[in-house]
Amino acid sequence: MSGPRHELSARELVTAYRKADLSPVEVTQAVLAHVERWEPHLQATWLLRPESALEQARASEARWRRGEPLGPLDGVPTTIKENIATRGDPMPAGTAAVTLLPASADAPPAARLKEAGAVIFSKTTMPDYGMLSSGLSSFHTLARNPWDLSRTPGGSSAGAGAAAAAGYGPLHIGTDIGGSLRLPAGWCGIFTLKPSLGRIPIDPPYMGRAAGPMTRTVSDAALMMQTLAQPDARDSMSLPAQTIDWDAFDTTVDDLRGLRIGLLLDAGCGLAVDPEIQQAVEHAARLFERAGAIVEPMRPFMSQAMLDGMDHFWRMRSLVDMKALRPEQRAKVLPYIRAWAESAEGFGGEYVFRAFSQFHATRLAAVAACAKYDYVISPTAPNMPAAAEAPSPTNDPLRPLEHIGFTVPFNMSEQPAASINCGYAKNSLPIGMQIAGKRFDDLGVLKVSRAFELIREPQRPWPQPPAA
């Protein structure tokens, strides 16, 4: 065990607690002090509560002294994305338009983390309604990327991605309906797993919506899965209880030998892939080949019609939500989001039906394209992170989703998909690679991701807060 306490992994912390080499109070204090240095620059947190965190840490410390930890995360500093309900706290969903009311119960991911003894010291920020891949919000202060403060951390799990990269403790949880875990993970250089739909129950459930761990290492994500992947009746799509040895993620490079891996470098829609991103993913593919995997180029299976159909349906959904607001509330919504939703005003019933049909078309295309492979690798995003102030990479509400062509199909097909850092651009920003597996093979995706950690080049030091 080495390095500052706020930099230690969850597994290192739990081992140190067990040996009484560290206490949860010491670690929580170190994390809070580090957050205090970073937060004026990043604005990744909401409801940051140092006193509550220290109270939780003292209770954890007492449990460890008695030899009675609540679970594998007891005493580990953790953040939760703002749209995952925590009892007694309001949930603005990133927008100033929402009436702030206390949540009556913990959503399933929050409940599981609390039951395991995690020290939940803050929520993390998100953009309006979670419908942007940026940290721009009408409610929260603009969140930034710790690798380059002029850049976005991505979104909608914006604060979580920034917090993980900046070392706000080891464990963070976000959500994803089209890339909202993987895009910030890729642009912030961290690891995430968007699990199979229902693997981590969530409330309210929705088509394609998943919660997932956001960590610096595959190991810590696997540790979180032990706690988070438990059925909950509140999620109508929750998967049945299944005994999964999440510790089996810790594979060897030899386990890559003979795997059939599809290499997808063209999403078939949206933005063209940045040459530096393509080069990094192609290099990763060669590393897999050297380890004995069989890598085969894939043809694109998405189409612009699929992407546009999903976009247009979501516009109508958001328009309906906004029409339920009072005029003074609607005026508070981010102008970009208003323009995006209001563009659906002229959509007729048949048009919306045809748009909705693209969700299923995307599902069928993704499953068919991946069927012959054990895993599929691709860029997480086609582009490097946009300016922090930009609502989307195109900055165009009529072309808002041009960057999610690689990520969104795996929400609709319900397949697990991770993002892991696979290199750095000339400007030193990290580059994310997506690793997707067959439905329900969450552990397999973690194993391949862990093997890639072993074969990739050494990682650069994590960003540090600017000098005072």
Side-chain angles (χ1 to χ4, degrees), residues 54 106 227 252 257 260 449:
L54 290 170
D106 292 318
T227 293
T252 67
R257 191 169 301 280
R260 296 199 65 186
S449 300

Side-chain angles (χ1 to χ4, degrees), residues 178-220:
S180 290
L181 285 165
R182 288 157 289 162
L183 293 165
W187 288 328
C188 290
I190 64 167
F191 179 77
T192 194
L193 172 69
K194 181 209 73 67
S196 299
L197 187 74
R199 179 70 70 201
I200 297 177
I202 196 164
D203 183 29
Y206 191 80
M207 174 180 60
R209 184 172 185 240
M214 302 181 76
T215 60
R216 287 182 168 185
T217 65
V218 177
S219 176
D220 277 355

Side-chain angles (χ1 to χ4, degrees), residues 65-290:
R65 284 177 175 168
R66 296 194 305 267
E68 298 173 352
L70 290 177
L73 307 182
D74 204 331
V76 179
T78 304
T79 72
I80 297 177
K81 186 178 177 181
E82 180 250 281
N83 67 341
I84 297 175
T86 46
R87 188 170 63 86
D89 296 326
M91 196 166 63
T95 179
V98 170
T99 301
L100 298 181
L101 299 172
S104 60
D106 292 318
R112 301 296 88 78
L113 290 168
K114 289 183 178 180
E115 291 161 4
V119 173
I120 298 167
F121 67 90
S122 185
K123 305 294 284 282
T124 51
T125 59
M126 60 182 282
D128 285 57
Y129 298 107
M131 292 309 296
L132 296 176
S133 294
S134 76
L136 184 63
S137 164
S138 61
F139 181 85
H140 301 295
T141 306
L142 177 66
R144 296 178 180 273
N145 191 320
W147 291 91
D148 180 345
L149 295 174
S150 73
R151 298 288 172 174
T152 182
S156 65
S157 303
Y168 287 23
L171 303 182
H172 311 270
I173 184 168
T175 62
D176 189 316
I177 198 171
S180 290
L181 285 165
R182 288 157 289 162
L183 293 165
W187 288 328
C188 290
I190 64 167
F191 179 77
T192 194
L193 172 69
K194 181 209 73 67
S196 299
L197 187 74
R199 179 70 70 201
I200 297 177
I202 196 164
D203 183 29
Y206 191 80
M207 174 180 60
R209 184 172 185 240
M214 302 181 76
T215 60
R216 287 182 168 185
T217 65
V218 177
S219 176
D220 277 355
L223 187 64
M224 287 189 86
M225 292 300 292
Q226 292 182 22
T227 293
L228 296 169
Q230 301 178 42
D232 192 298
R234 291 175 289 173
D235 186 343
S236 58
M237 294 180 277
S238 173
L239 295 178
Q242 183 179 358
T243 300
I244 297 175
D245 181 8
W246 294 106
D247 280 338
F249 83 93
D250 201 4
T251 186
T252 67
V253 175
D254 287 343
D255 288 340
L256 293 175
R257 191 169 301 280
L259 287 182
R260 296 199 65 186
I261 295 178
L263 173 62
L264 182 66
L265 292 173
D266 179 358
C269 57
L271 297 174
V273 176
D274 182 287
E276 286 191 277
I277 294 174
Q278 177 159 334
Q279 184 179 11
V281 175
E282 287 176 334
H283 176 69
R286 289 192 293 272
L287 294 179
F288 278 117
E289 285 183 318
R290 290 173 196 166

Side-chain angles (χ1 to χ4, degrees), residues 96-97 138 325-335 338 342:
S138 61
L325 299 174
R326 298 188 306 274
E328 64 271 21
Q329 288 178 298
R330 197 176 311 135
K332 295 179 181 179
V333 175
L334 201 70
R338 286 207 314 271
E342 289 168 0

